[in-house]
Amino acid sequence: MTAAPPALLERYRRLLAQPREPFPITLGEGSTPLIRTRRLGAEIGLEELYLKYEGTNPTGSFKDRGMVLAVNRAASSGARAVVCASTGNTAASAAAYAAAAGLPCFVVLPAGKVARGKLAQALVAGARLVMVDGNFDEALAAVRRLGDEGVAAVVNSVNPDRLDGQQTAAWEVCDALGRPPDALALPVGNAGNITAYWRGFTRYAGEGLIESRPRMLGFQADGAAPIVRGEPVAEPETIATAIRIGNPASWAGATAARDDSGGSIESVSDDEILAAQRDVAHLEGIFCEPASAAGVAGVRKLASGGRLHRSETVVCVLTGHGLKDPDAVQAEEGSLAAVAPEVDAIRSAMGI
Ligand SMILES: *Cc1c(COP(=O)(O)O)cnc(C)c1O
């Protein structure tokens, strides 16, 4: 029998912790698979395309990497409660870690724009949900005010512990490959993750653990692309609700990551996102949520435009699990009609 890998914060304690800092709360976050694609890479025209599948985190998204650090520190510093604004996954993660810590959790969400699975996760863990008749950006502004008033510890990515913890994903990618990739692609919403990955690669380079850093390739949805346009979007709209954000908190971090790495931040359409989500599932058997597929959609676009060379090592981060948002899957409803439970009828329904 092999022992479970040590908890994420213990594994990277040297890079993250204060001396003798305790991390009693863990749900088994991190150590997510880096999967070398066989069919998807061939289809896109890349010989070495990897998927960093963050859907295997305890609450099904990469948010757990930073939340575990933020909630450990909130608990050890005597916070009475935690609070966050969320498009869904931050709420699911905060609710779970707060439950484990025995802290009340408040989440502020844009009404009608949160995927069903994410709501269920926050509810079952006992978080108190407040729906606002507004978007994520407005919810975050209010939550920051509540934090300033000392009502509760804010565990959005404006909390530096969140981005510190999220660096671990960059370290895992390098550890798994034995080197950094040439390029790393991911969706950009509030822009914390692209900021954290770049910081992580830069830290590893500073420690002498890698010799180069990848180009950072960020992708927003066409209807929620403030960084691409160079100005906030007042009413962001996309089927990829996790990146439905019009005024990213880590805007400056994202543009620095883009410019310092020689990368780019571009946008993709909802149709391209849904096609990429389907292809990741059809060709590799991995179910990610729509936002997660934005990086794959973007890589396809760059590769077909000759802006990624086929021999480059490319990693796409699949940020969250598809089961969180089953409603977004474009199903072929017709094939679900029932037939008689008889071999002939079933054979004919199978089309054989
Ligand atoms: C939070 C989230 C994003 C966006 O990450 P940012 O750090 O806000 O840019 C993308 N995909 C999923 C699944 C998320 O939960």
Side-chain angles (χ1 to χ4, degrees):
M1 229 177 79
T2 52
L8 183 68
L9 298 182
E10 296 301 337
R11 195 148 43 91
Y12 293 114
R13 166 175 286 282
R14 189 178 69 80
L15 300 171
L16 287 173
Q18 307 297 324
R20 288 180 303 282
E21 184 179 11
F23 294 126
I25 299 150
T26 174
L27 300 178
E29 54 288 329
S31 301
T32 60
L34 183 70
I35 300 156
R36 181 164 183 174
T37 65
R38 292 159 45 85
R39 303 178 65 204
L40 182 66
E43 199 259 346
I44 288 178
L46 293 170
E47 285 159 17
E48 265 193 82
L49 175 66
Y50 293 84
L51 303 174
K52 177 67 168 164
Y53 184 40
E54 293 286 281
T56 67
N57 275 297
T59 76
S61 87
F62 74 85
K63 299 295 199 300
D64 295 341
R65 295 178 178 277
M67 198 60 73
V68 66
L69 188 59
V71 171
N72 267 290
R73 286 190 172 153
S76 67
S77 66
R80 285 172 297 148
V82 299
V83 63
C84 65
S86 179
T87 59
N89 281 333
T90 298
S93 185
Y97 285 89
L103 286 173
C105 175
F106 300 91
V107 299
V108 185
L109 301 147
K113 298 295 181 182
V114 178
R116 222 152 31 99
K118 302 175 189 179
L119 274 184
Q121 287 181 287
L123 283 169
V124 77
R128 261 166 276 177
L129 273 56
V130 180
M131 296 295 176
V132 294
D133 192 9
N135 60 36
F136 169 84
D137 305 285
E138 294 164 317
L140 180 58
V143 160
R144 294 176 84 151
R145 291 269 306 276
L146 292 172
D148 291 342
E149 291 168 14
V151 173
V154 176
V155 293
N156 278 106
S157 57
V158 295
N159 176 331
D161 297 331
R162 283 279 312 280
L163 298 197
D164 276 355
Q166 285 175 211
Q167 295 179 102
T168 56
W171 301 338
E172 285 184 6
V173 166
C174 297
D175 292 350
L177 284 175
R179 59 189 157 87
D182 296 308
L184 182 123
L186 77 176
V188 174
N190 214 23
N193 210 27
I194 190 171
T195 303
Y197 265 95
W198 182 241
R199 204 178 281 171
F201 288 124
T202 300
R203 181 78 193 276
Y204 247 30
E207 296 278 326
L209 295 168
I210 53 175
E211 280 165 17
S212 63
R213 296 174 296 173
R215 304 201 298 289
M216 302 296 296
L217 309 175
F219 296 95
Q220 303 195 291
D222 282 347
I227 298 175
V228 178
R229 294 197 197 182
E231 60 182 11
V233 174
E235 292 184 5
E237 210 41 83
T238 169
I239 190 162
T241 49
I243 53 173
R244 185 176 169 272
I245 292 175
N247 192 10
S250 296
W251 191 314
T255 52
R258 174 193 66 195
D259 299 342
D260 296 350
S261 74
S264 61
I265 297 178
E266 303 183 24
S267 73
V268 288
S269 70
D270 279 8
D271 283 347
E272 290 169 323
I273 287 171
L274 290 172
Q277 180 193 30
R278 188 194 55 225
D279 289 346
V280 168
H282 274 223
L283 299 174
E284 301 294 336
I286 299 170
F287 187 20
C288 67
E289 68 171 280
S292 304
V296 174
V299 160
R300 168 181 284 151
K301 207 172 197 170
L302 296 190
S304 70
R307 294 163 63 203
L308 278 170
H309 192 269
R310 60 180 303 111
S311 66
E312 288 191 286
T313 301
V314 179
V315 172
C316 287
V317 182
L318 300 181
T319 45
H321 203 295
L323 287 174
K324 286 170 167 287
D325 192 5
D327 300 331
V329 173
Q330 312 235 297
E332 291 165 50
E333 301 281 350
S335 63
L336 297 180
V339 301
E342 290 157 9
V343 168
D344 284 348
I346 292 170
R347 193 188 290 118
S348 116
M350 289 166 78
I352 55 175

